[in-house]
Amino acid sequence: MSSGDTLVEVKDLKVEFDVREGIIKAVDGLSLTVKRGRTLGVIGESGCGKSMTARAILNMVPKPGKITGGEILYYRQVGGNGKPLITDVINITKLDPDGELIRQIRGGEIGMIFQEPMSSLTPVYTAGTHINEAVTLHRLIPIRKVGDQLVETIQAHRKVSKQEAREIAIEMLRKVGIPKPEQRVDAYPHQLSGGQRQRVMIAVALSCEPKMLIADEPTTALDVSIEAQILDLMRELQETVDMAIMFITHNLGVIAEMAEEIVVMYMGKQVEQASAVELFYEPQHPYTRALLQSIPHVGKKSRQRLASIAGMVPDPFHLPPGCVFHPRCSSFMPGKCDVIVPGWKQIGPNHWVRCLLYEEV
Ligand code: SF4
């Protein structure tokens, strides 16, 4: 794949929260590349830094967090329609988070779907932050009709009349499986179920045909048939507008179906990265292996218990020395893993791992 296929490049990203108790390194030296028209999966337990990476890409890390290092390069193509395509490289970390350019990019060129917000408010955010996010990223606002919110978003990012925007809105509601979209377009969010609100948010994010979609646990609140419909819709858009997807989830079944490449994160760092096939069939990091062992498999005896990862996620203010995963690791090497910090090693043409078992490879 040529470098022209790169849409977003995250280099050595660091996001920290400076709070009374100390500094939390929410993202600690993460590097990844999102390619046009491809899907990158990001997996890991809650609090591993997946969502904060997504927010950093949109330059909307909530306070008191901030980006303290690294860069996020957005390769924006301008031209087309007979004119030559020129690639403009924008360092998102250098943009004013409230400025004109990032507001054009957010929602229009890089769309984001969060979990259903009314059923999953993020505990580290204040109510004010949630409302700010709603306004900035077109989350649903309870006192406005969903159609108005959709039409406004479409008109902000596409050159269409109000009537055309309303028709696109109705069509998008139909595509995400909202029954009677011609009527529901005039409903208020509180008149819809949680699953329907989530589908409206997905319609809002997809209606602008973004170059990249960041989907953060987008289908967690939905039942499996609607989930399948939404995943099909994402794939359809990916083909028609060459949309890149960064799919963040702890649902390994969904990621196996959607992603071509997967990054596994633990305590703010990436611990393994490989093609989806290689990661599922030949996982190398003990954490990835433990995650995969915790998925139910067809053929497993019905009364057999699923494996779980031993121990707890460590306290972010008192991280263990050496490899941060060592207190939970089944391959722990005393005197080595609790002393040496593992580096990021390439172990195959498209396979990287952060583990002392592979230091010599
Ligand atoms: Fe386990 Fe040691 Fe590898 Fe960490 S470095 S994952 S503790 S084997």
Side-chain angles (χ1 to χ4, degrees), residues 13-204:
L13 177 69
K14 293 187 172 78
V15 178
E16 294 183 350
F17 283 73
D18 191 352
V19 292
R20 208 159 14 124
E21 296 82 356
I23 291 177
I24 300 175
K25 292 182 175 180
V27 182
D28 189 10
L30 180 97
S31 298
L32 53 83
T33 302
V34 181
K35 306 272 187 189
R36 291 175 209 279
R38 311 268 293 174
T39 301
L40 176 76
V42 183
I43 59 172
E45 289 165 291
S46 301
C48 69
K50 312 181 294 274
S51 300
M52 220 37 81
T53 303
R55 286 182 165 78
I57 290 176
L58 292 165
N59 200 342
M60 51 185 301
V61 172
K63 289 194 173 71
K66 60 178 178 211
I67 296 173
T68 53
E71 51 186 18
I72 298 169
L73 304 178
Y74 170 43
Y75 294 80
R76 185 195 220 191
Q77 283 185 337
V78 287
N81 285 335
K83 294 186 197 145
L85 270 183
I86 299 168
T87 304
D88 216 0
V89 185
I90 299 170
N91 185 349
I92 289 180
T93 59
K94 296 276 183 265
L95 299 181
D96 169 5
D98 301 316
E100 176 72 17
L101 184 51
I102 191 69
R103 281 192 283 124
Q104 268 174 28
I105 295 171
R106 255 187 227 140
E109 295 170 44
I110 304 181
M112 181 154 181
I113 309 168
F114 296 98
Q115 286 184 51
E116 209 286 294
M118 295 193 194
S119 62
S120 64
L121 296 179
T122 311
V124 296
Y125 292 175
T126 61
T129 311
H130 275 289
I131 292 165
N132 264 339
E133 254 189 16
V135 173
T136 320
L137 250 188
H138 319 297
R139 276 190 176 194
L140 295 184
I141 301 167
I143 50 168
R144 302 188 55 211
K145 291 178 184 173
V146 297
D148 291 346
Q149 300 187 52
L150 259 164
V151 165
E152 202 172 274
T153 309
I154 294 165
Q155 282 202 293
H157 299 288
R158 289 169 72 172
K159 289 190 180 76
V160 289
S161 69
K162 199 165 180 183
Q163 186 53 35
E164 284 166 329
R166 187 177 163 88
E167 280 159 23
I168 295 170
I170 292 171
E171 190 47 35
M172 282 311 293
L173 290 177
R174 190 188 322 281
K175 283 187 171 172
V176 294
I178 298 282
K180 300 186 185 150
E182 299 81 0
Q183 292 167 21
R184 292 300 169 98
V185 74
D186 293 318
Y188 289 93
H190 70 269
Q191 295 171 314
L192 305 176
S193 68
Q196 286 177 341
R197 285 197 297 266
Q198 178 66 348
R199 280 179 271 163
V200 171
M201 282 190 19
I202 293 169
V204 173

Side-chain angles (χ1 to χ4, degrees), residues 152-307:
E152 202 172 274
T153 309
I154 294 165
Q155 282 202 293
H157 299 288
R158 289 169 72 172
K159 289 190 180 76
V160 289
S161 69
K162 199 165 180 183
Q163 186 53 35
E164 284 166 329
R166 187 177 163 88
E167 280 159 23
I168 295 170
I170 292 171
E171 190 47 35
M172 282 311 293
L173 290 177
R174 190 188 322 281
K175 283 187 171 172
V176 294
I178 298 282
K180 300 186 185 150
E182 299 81 0
Q183 292 167 21
R184 292 300 169 98
V185 74
D186 293 318
Y188 289 93
H190 70 269
Q191 295 171 314
L192 305 176
S193 68
Q196 286 177 341
R197 285 197 297 266
Q198 178 66 348
R199 280 179 271 163
V200 171
M201 282 190 19
I202 293 169
V204 173
L206 296 180
S207 60
C208 299
E209 300 184 341
K211 301 278 175 254
M212 174 174 168
L213 177 71
I214 301 176
D216 187 358
E217 303 281 6
T219 55
T220 307
L222 306 178
D223 64 48
V224 283
S225 59
I226 298 292
E227 178 177 71
Q229 202 174 331
I230 300 291
L231 297 182
D232 280 347
L233 177 61
M234 284 185 194
R235 276 188 289 244
E236 185 190 311
L237 261 183
Q238 185 161 44
E239 273 172 32
T240 49
V241 299
D242 208 23
M243 179 177 77
I245 303 176
M246 182 170 164
F247 206 105
I248 299 171
T249 186
H250 60 260
N251 185 333
L252 299 175
V254 169
I255 213 79
E257 208 182 311
M258 292 296 289
E260 283 114 4
E261 181 128 9
I262 298 177
V263 171
V264 184
M265 288 186 73
Y266 186 75
M267 297 308 294
K269 288 184 193 292
Q270 63 214 113
V271 294
E272 187 160 4
Q273 181 169 343
S275 70
V277 174
E278 206 163 323
L279 197 105
F280 275 94
Y281 287 101
E282 290 179 49
Q284 299 299 321
H285 196 281
Y287 177 61
T288 314
R289 288 194 198 136
L291 274 182
L292 295 179
Q293 276 162 9
S294 62
I295 319 177
H297 292 286
V298 175
K300 207 163 203 165
K301 290 187 190 131
S302 60
R303 301 185 74 81
Q304 203 174 325
R305 293 181 71 113
L306 280 177

Side-chain angles (χ1 to χ4, degrees), residues 285-287 323 325-326 329 331-333 337 342 354-357:
H285 196 281
Y287 177 61
C323 169
F325 186 58
H326 86 252
C329 182
S331 307
F332 170 59
M333 297 176 279
C337 299
R354 188 184 302 281
C355 172
L356 295 169
L357 291 171

